[in-house]
Amino acid sequence: MTTFYFEWWFLPKLAQGLVLTVEITAACIAFGFVLGVLLALGRVYGPKLISIPCSIYIHFFRGTPLLTQLFIVYFGLPNWGIHLSAFTSGILALGLNTAAYQAEYFRGAIQAVKGGQMLAARSLGMSRIQAIRYVILPQAFRIVIPSWSNELILMLKYSSIVFSISLLDLMGMGKRIAARYFNYFEVFIVVALFYLVLVFLLSQSLRWLERRVRVPGLGAPGLR
Amino acid sequence: MEFFRQLWEVGRYLPMLLRASTVNLELLGALLVIGFLIGTLVALLQVYGGRFLGTVAYIYEWVFRSVPALVLLFLFYFGPSEFGWYISPFLAASLALGLRSSAYQSQIFRGAIQAIPTGQMLAARALGMSRVQALLHVILPQAFRLAIPGWSNEFSSVVKDTTLAYVVTLNEIMRYAKIIMDRRYDLAMATFIMVALIFLFFTYSGNWLLGQMERRFRIPGLQMPGASGTVL
Amino acid sequence: MNALLVVEDVHKRYGKEEVLKGVSFQVEKGETKVIIGPSGTGKSTLLRCINRLTEPDRGRVWLDGVEVTSPKTNINRIRAQIGFVFQDFNLFTHLTALDNVRLGPMRVKGMKKDEATRLAQEELARVGLADKADAYPAELSGGQQQRVSIARALAMNPKLILFDEPTSALDPELIGEVLQVMIKLAQEGMTMVVVTHEMGFARSVADEIIFMEKGVIVEQGPPAQLFSSPKHPRTAEFLRKITELYGGEG
Ligand SMILES: Nc1ncnc2c1ncn2[C@@H]1O[C@H](COP(=O)(O)OP(=O)(O)O)[C@@H](O)[C@H]1O
Ligand SMILES: [Mg+2]
């Protein structure tokens, strides 16, 4: 360990990368959330014409590597005349991927809402869509929080994959610094610490969120 | 359609991709074994290890679950060479992904061990077994059965994660796919779709096998709490 | 047609099993009709066919002169006029008592929030739960939950309320508080169709009792007549059994 020395100058650079990591994670989670809810609704309530394509989508994105999906979007789509920036490609690929996982969590949560809730809502004269919006989804969202939190943390870590299409996120910035000075070990120990702190902060905030919206009688039995 | 013609053309490279994918499968095997052995040890320490070792095991699990796989890959591959030790991409990837998997697997095994009624340990000790004997002959055989569903999930995610070893220059499938693409840029989409299809096959056939295994080892009356399996 | 509710020849089949084999009856405005009969007889199915929570295979239903079963009818508009009280309450788990009661008026009738709130508070007071407005369903006893669900139905200002065994899921000591609310409603002139095993309630509140078995109405008549001199031997036998089971007439 005699060669171990620490250079402070690269910390601001890493912080810059960290900002991109947070941006990409937030964007792909938001994108995946919207698409995931739609896929879950399609799978649970849709007619076959909708539920089967939703199902195929989910199986494809859950059954194939994220790196492959990223390369399909970044290197593959140009074959079809679709040219996206690395930043957009990264968010799109991560978002399409997490949508499939989120869809499965939402589906489980929707199906965990008791059947009588839909009946009661319809008996008041609500349409199916109103019942889903005001009764089913608010409950499903609360039930889903634990598994959804895991997914969010997972995506925070997997977002590092965008360095492979030369984005300078926390990982990419680390790689760039380390490659120039060949001090991979020092730099990546620091990068690892950055991720540890990020993951810690994120999981604490999610726990706080879970407590905030908790409602008596609406736990997530067996859904972790 | 143009795309299917290209897919057909990529078919020429299929043997090469499949050969490369055996590297992914070897890596998968190595990382699962490392993950299983260390994961079991960590779980046992967490449950039976006492205060100090238990805490160490929890910290270990937390660190390896919180650091991205790619960062671990870089640390294990570039780290040693900085101190003058050469490490092969395969070994580095096996260690990085294996230790990471051990953290996830320990969580699965810990849950399974804790799901076993305490009476089982008591009964084993009452027969005169030592703690270690009780673990080996009574607790773990039950815990491993309970862990199969959770372990299947872990399997599905690490199969796909073997492609991450691409970044430490392991000659696995994504690296070959990238080589094909560099030669024939027009085939990029078809090539990566081909890789995706190969992985669809790996993931779902693996899940199917593990499902068979679960059925085969199932014991009436033994299940995770909250699981809604049929008890015969 | 001057009856408030007309049910005409309703049929329903699940697979091979014909659950309703042509049921007809009428309910006048302000009337309380009690439906009794062994379980599995199709009583719940019948109630659900009235507001089409279950779609009848055949037969017709009118509410206040409007055909409920017509494909042209906007069923949500009809359901808003028919209260439904479930055996297992089905209060919305994620909402407080107050929110449960005002959700319908706000979302279905488009009522303003403060107006709906005032209404909901009134209805909660009507069932004796003004002090529980902020409690979640899980924080209430079964009897309280069922009273909230009655308040939820009342808040829609329905023409008719259907009760499907409203006290069957309750501990015996909680049944009384729910029945009291229902008795009060009947006295105030609410039109109600009540499926129940509470013979005391049936005897004292019902204007007419319908005895159903195996998907058909076996006998109907005013309680005094039906209880003291049932025409049909099946009715007599059922009444004897239910008295044994529920220990007297409550
Ligand atoms: N959704 C359904 N699918 C299939 N069978 C049903 C369904 N609902 C009710 N049934 C059957 O219809 C019969 C009558 O049920 P129900 O109307 O609940 O009777 P009751 O309320 O008189 O006890 C029962 O045999 C029941 O099993
Ligand atoms: Mg019933």
Side-chain angles (χ1 to χ4, degrees):
Chain A
M1 295 290 263
T2 49
T3 59
F4 193 96
Y5 59 98
F6 196 80
E7 302 230 24
W8 292 101
W9 64 264
F10 65 65
L11 285 184
K13 287 271 164 204
L14 286 183
Q16 215 177 305
L18 182 144
V19 171
L20 187 62
T21 290
V22 171
E23 277 172 13
I24 287 180
T25 307
C28 82
I29 284 291
F31 177 86
F33 179 87
V34 175
L35 184 56
V37 169
L38 292 177
L39 286 166
L41 290 175
R43 229 186 138 173
V44 177
Y45 297 111
K48 279 220 165 62
L49 199 68
I50 292 177
S51 74
I52 291 177
C54 290
S55 204
I56 292 176
Y57 176 97
I58 291 168
H59 278 94
F60 179 83
F61 280 91
R62 281 164 50 97
T64 57
L66 178 56
L67 186 66
T68 315
Q69 294 162 15
L70 179 65
F71 281 13
I72 285 174
V73 170
Y74 187 63
F75 296 118
L77 282 184
N79 285 174
W80 293 354
I82 304 169
H83 298 265
L84 302 172
S85 69
F87 181 71
T88 315
S89 300
I91 290 170
L92 184 62
L94 287 163
L96 292 173
N97 177 273
T98 183
Y101 287 90
Q102 291 189 40
E104 282 301 88
Y105 297 132
F106 292 140
R107 181 172 70 105
I110 288 170
Q111 286 171 340
V113 175
K114 290 188 223 71
Q117 298 286 310
M118 177 57 106
L119 271 185
R122 298 306 303 272
S123 82
L124 287 177
M126 284 190 206
S127 68
R128 211 169 145 86
I129 291 179
Q130 281 181 313
I132 291 171
R133 164 145 180 231
Y134 297 118
V135 176
I136 306 295
L137 282 184
Q139 297 188 40
F141 285 151
R142 286 179 170 86
I143 294 173
V144 88
I145 290 180
S147 21
W148 192 75
S149 304
N150 283 342
E151 176 62 15
L152 222 169
I153 291 168
L154 218 58
M155 285 324 280
L156 173 62
K157 291 178 281 169
Y158 273 124
S159 71
S160 56
I161 208 167
V162 298
F163 98 95
S164 65
I165 54 173
S166 46
L167 281 174
L168 293 177
D169 69 325
L170 189 46
M171 177 80 195
M173 199 59 99
K175 164 121 195 276
R176 179 151 126 175
I177 296 165
R180 192 174 308 163
Y181 298 92
F182 208 74
N183 54 350
Y184 279 92
F185 193 73
E186 293 88 327
V187 172
F188 275 92
I189 285 288
V190 178
V191 168
L193 285 174
F194 269 65
Y195 275 108
L196 277 175
V197 172
L198 266 183
V199 166
F200 178 77
L201 291 178
L202 182 59
S203 56
Q204 290 303 310
S205 344
L206 287 167
R207 259 192 223 162
W208 173 83
L209 173 74
E210 190 181 350
R211 271 198 306 274
R212 261 297 305 259
V213 302
R214 179 175 297 160
V215 160
L218 246 192
L223 249 176
R224 271 220 76 120
Chain B
M1 260 181 45
E2 178 68 6
F3 174 66
F4 289 103
R5 196 191 53 72
Q6 290 170 346
L7 206 55
W8 178 252
E9 210 174 324
V10 172
R12 274 197 300 145
Y13 298 103
L14 188 58
M16 177 170 130
L17 286 174
L18 285 176
R19 223 174 311 120
S21 77
T22 59
V23 176
N24 291 77
L25 294 183
E26 283 163 18
L27 174 58
L28 174 68
L31 85 88
L32 281 176
V33 169
I34 294 173
F36 180 84
L37 294 176
I38 298 184
T40 307
L41 179 69
V42 171
L44 287 174
L45 288 178
Q46 287 172 335
V47 181
Y48 301 107
R51 189 134 164 196
F52 177 72
L53 287 176
T55 309
V56 171
Y58 272 105
I59 293 174
Y60 170 91
E61 183 195 323
W62 178 70
V63 169
F64 276 94
R65 281 162 55 88
S66 299
V67 177
L70 292 172
V71 175
L72 293 172
L73 281 163
F74 269 38
L75 278 173
F76 279 83
Y77 182 61
F78 293 110
S81 63
E82 217 170 297
F83 303 105
W85 306 321
Y86 173 74
I87 183 169
S88 75
F90 187 83
L91 183 58
S94 304
L95 284 175
L97 296 180
L99 295 182
R100 169 168 171 270
S101 181
S102 78
Y104 285 96
Q105 291 192 42
S106 76
Q107 191 193 29
I108 295 163
F109 294 141
R110 169 161 47 91
I113 292 171
Q114 285 169 339
I116 304 213
T118 46
Q120 298 287 312
M121 178 58 106
L122 287 180
R125 300 301 300 274
L127 285 177
M129 287 191 198
S130 70
R131 232 168 125 81
V132 175
Q133 281 178 314
L135 278 179
L136 283 181
H137 301 302
V138 178
I139 304 296
L140 286 184
Q142 298 188 49
F144 286 142
R145 283 183 170 85
L146 288 184
I148 295 178
W151 205 80
S152 303
N153 285 340
E154 172 63 9
F155 167 85
S156 313
S157 68
V158 290
V159 174
K160 293 169 280 170
D161 287 346
T162 57
T163 53
L164 299 179
Y166 159 85
V167 306
V168 291
T169 73
L170 183 67
N171 286 321
E172 50 72 70
I173 189 166
M174 281 304 280
R175 181 148 294 273
Y176 275 93
K178 190 85 185 320
I179 290 169
I180 296 170
M181 184 194 89
D182 288 341
R183 245 187 264 163
R184 290 285 307 275
Y185 202 76
D186 57 314
L187 293 184
M189 184 57 117
T191 308
F192 291 122
I193 291 281
M194 186 69 90
V195 173
L197 292 177
I198 292 172
F199 269 94
L200 275 180
F201 174 72
F202 286 165
T203 312
Y204 289 107
S205 52
N207 280 346
W208 180 80
L209 272 175
L210 286 164
Q212 293 295 310
M213 198 163 110
E214 191 196 347
R215 243 190 308 276
R216 189 162 136 54
F217 289 118
R218 184 177 296 156
I219 292 174
L222 181 67
Q223 61 175 13
M224 286 295 263
S228 57
T230 38
V231 184
L232 295 170
Chain C
M1 216 155 314
N2 38 20
L4 181 71
L5 177 74
V6 178
V7 175
E8 190 184 281
D9 196 31
V10 165
H11 289 253
K12 178 70 191 180
R13 126 189 331 275
Y14 285 117
K16 280 204 197 93
E17 191 192 359
E18 189 162 27
V19 178
L20 295 177
K21 302 167 186 163
V23 176
S24 308
F25 66 95
Q26 304 197 354
V27 183
E28 304 293 332
K29 194 165 184 308
E31 196 185 6
T32 297
K33 199 83 107 186
V34 167
I35 301 178
I36 60 175
S39 75
T41 277
K43 303 182 300 295
S44 298
T45 307
L46 175 62
L47 284 195
R48 287 179 186 193
C49 281
I50 291 175
N51 70 353
R52 282 171 58 192
L53 281 180
T54 293
E55 208 60 60
D57 297 334
R58 193 139 67 78
R60 303 208 276 181
V61 177
W62 285 269
L63 178 74
D64 214 0
V66 178
E67 192 190 337
V68 177
T69 39
S70 159
K72 282 188 237 112
T73 305
N74 178 346
I75 189 59
N76 294 331
R77 297 272 289 274
I78 297 286
R79 285 185 187 144
Q81 302 169 40
I82 303 180
F84 201 106
V85 176
F86 297 85
Q87 181 173 342
D88 43 5
F89 333 132
N90 289 336
L91 285 182
F92 302 129
T93 320
H94 64 304
L95 299 177
T96 61
L98 185 78
D99 282 331
N100 260 283
V101 179
R102 71 183 173 183
L103 186 71
M106 281 166 62
R107 300 302 178 193
V108 177
K109 291 183 148 182
M111 198 180 277
K112 290 260 165 22
K113 187 166 182 176
D114 43 349
E115 196 187 341
T117 307
R118 222 174 316 117
L119 172 68
Q121 280 161 342
E122 274 168 32
E123 300 300 356
L124 282 175
R126 200 162 158 198
V127 299
L129 288 173
D131 55 330
K132 294 291 183 189
D134 294 326
Y136 285 99
E139 297 168 329
L140 298 171
S141 74
Q144 291 170 331
Q145 289 190 56
Q146 193 59 295
R147 282 147 69 199
V148 173
S149 95
I150 293 173
R152 178 172 71 179
L154 287 172
M156 297 297 287
N157 192 20
K159 291 179 172 162
L160 162 75
I161 304 184
L162 310 173
F163 292 82
D164 189 3
E165 300 198 31
T167 57
S168 293
L170 298 178
D171 292 337
E173 71 272 20
L174 301 177
I175 292 177
E177 61 189 68
V178 173
L179 289 182
Q180 246 152 38
V181 169
M182 292 169 62
I183 291 168
K184 200 173 83 183
L185 286 179
Q187 285 165 351
E188 287 168 11
M190 176 57 74
T191 315
M192 320 201 290
V193 177
V194 184
V195 173
T196 186
H197 293 303
E198 293 296 326
M199 291 305 142
F201 173 85
R203 187 186 277 273
S204 60
V205 182
D207 297 297
E208 190 177 56
I209 294 183
I210 293 177
F211 172 61
M212 255 182 89
E213 195 179 50
K214 296 190 179 131
V216 293
I217 293 179
V218 176
E219 180 171 355
Q220 55 188 326
Q225 180 244 304
L226 197 107
F227 278 112
S228 54
S229 50
K231 291 201 195 83
H232 204 285
R234 301 290 308 148
T235 317
E237 193 189 333
F238 174 76
L239 287 173
R240 190 169 46 73
K241 275 201 189 133
I242 200 90
T243 321
E244 274 169 24
L245 209 62
Y246 287 76
E249 292 179 359

